[in-house]
């Protein structure tokens, strides 16, 4: 299977289909995946190119019907029944965008508060934590909030680290202006790997020295 086939197979699985209760961020994620699949199938052009009037009409109609069908099959039954009447893939996607607006000002404020107050969980890996922080930042960027520029993101990430990361956090604060966002995240991942290596060496030393106590 190709990557796009794997992605589409996932999109049409029951728990991954677009539903009326999907959130705006979930719709944007679904839309990006659908557009990737359509692009790989050389069908995405029907979402932007107008219906032709020349000899290419038959091909456009065929491609548009394929694209429209692929979009519909990635929805749950309720949305399928409501939106299957749309005659073209573009009309279908435009109509969907209307029921999944970027988000209200209240939604944006609440998301911003969650982002700036977010804390890394005790058992969470730094990679999972950074991915979650980046996902929230992307959602905020879609809401056109300038408060999530790179400097703000670096500050939010450092503030989200627990006290067990205090030494690493404080060291990175001293040179944060020398690092871009990717550099900062790379340094944090490296710090976690180094800590894991140190803990492994300690465990091996304790085992070799006979410090393990059997119960």
């Amino acid at each position: 299977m190709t990557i796009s086939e794997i992605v589409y197979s996932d999109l049409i699985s029951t728990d991954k289909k677009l539903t009326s209760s999907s959130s705006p961020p979930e719709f944007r994620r679904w839309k990006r995946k659908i557009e990737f699949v359509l692009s790989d199938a050389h069908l995405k052009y029907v979402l932007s190119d107008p219906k032709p009037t020349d000899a290419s009409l038959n091909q456009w109609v065929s491609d548009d019907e394929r694209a429209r069908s692929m979009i519909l099959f990635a929805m749950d039954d309720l949305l399928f029944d409501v939106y299957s009447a749309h005659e073209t893939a573009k009309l279908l996607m435009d109509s969907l965008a209307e029921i999944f607006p970027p988000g209200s000002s209240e939604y944006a404020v609440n998301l911003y508060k969650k982002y700036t107050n977010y804390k890394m969980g005790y058992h969470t890996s730094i990679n999972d934590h950074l991915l979650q922080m980046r996902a929230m930042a992307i959602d905020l960027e879609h809401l056109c909030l300038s408060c999530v520029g790179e400097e703000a993101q670096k500050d939010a990430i450092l503030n989200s680290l627990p006290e067990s990361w205090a030494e690493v956090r404080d060291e990175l604060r001293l040179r944060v202006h020398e690092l871009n966002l990717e550099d900062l995240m790379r340094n944090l991942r490296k710090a976690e790997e180094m800590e894991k290596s140190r803990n492994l060496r300690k465990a091996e030393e304790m085992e070799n020295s006979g410090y393990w106590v059997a119960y």
Side-chain angles (χ1 to χ4, degrees), residues 188-203:
L188 290 170
R189 294 187 183 102
K190 183 178 179 181
E192 183 177 67
E193 288 301 315
M194 291 175 64
E195 181 64 19
K196 287 180 180 178
S197 296
R198 282 194 294 268
N199 290 338
L200 181 60
R201 285 197 300 271
K202 288 179 182 178

Side-chain angles (χ1 to χ4, degrees), residues 54-181:
D54 56 19
S56 63
L57 174 61
N58 288 341
Q59 184 63 53
W60 188 95
V61 170
S62 175
D63 287 348
D64 184 68
E65 180 56 30
R66 285 182 60 203
R68 192 178 74 90
S69 297
M70 292 176 72
I71 295 168
L72 285 169
F73 293 147
M75 303 177 186
D76 69 0
D77 289 344
L78 177 60
L79 288 180
F80 181 95
D81 290 343
V82 172
Y83 287 92
S84 58
H86 288 77
E87 295 182 354
T88 68
K90 183 179 186 328
L91 287 174
L92 174 56
M93 291 299 281
D94 288 348
S95 295
L96 286 172
E98 291 179 3
I99 68 168
F100 294 103
S104 65
S105 57
E106 181 181 1
Y107 172 82
V109 169
N110 289 335
L111 180 59
Y112 180 71
K113 287 180 179 178
K114 178 182 178 181
Y115 177 70
T116 54
N117 293 302
Y118 198 71
K119 298 298 179 184
M120 179 177 169
Y122 182 74
H123 295 292
T124 304
S125 71
I126 190 64
N127 194 53
D128 286 347
H129 178 65
L130 292 174
L131 288 174
Q132 183 61 42
M133 292 288 290
R134 185 65 188 127
M136 286 190 285
I138 290 173
D139 285 343
L140 286 167
E141 288 168 358
H142 279 293
L143 297 172
C144 301
L145 296 181
S146 59
C147 54
V148 288
E150 184 162 299
E151 292 303 317
Q153 289 186 56
K154 291 191 294 183
D155 191 52
I157 288 172
L158 291 175
N159 287 337
S160 71
L161 299 176
E163 281 307 304
S164 57
W165 281 75
E167 183 176 349
V168 174
R169 180 191 62 208
D170 294 344
E171 187 275 328
L172 287 173
R173 280 197 188 281
L174 294 176
R175 55 191 185 93
V176 67
H177 295 300
E178 302 171 7
L179 307 171
N180 60 34
L181 183 60

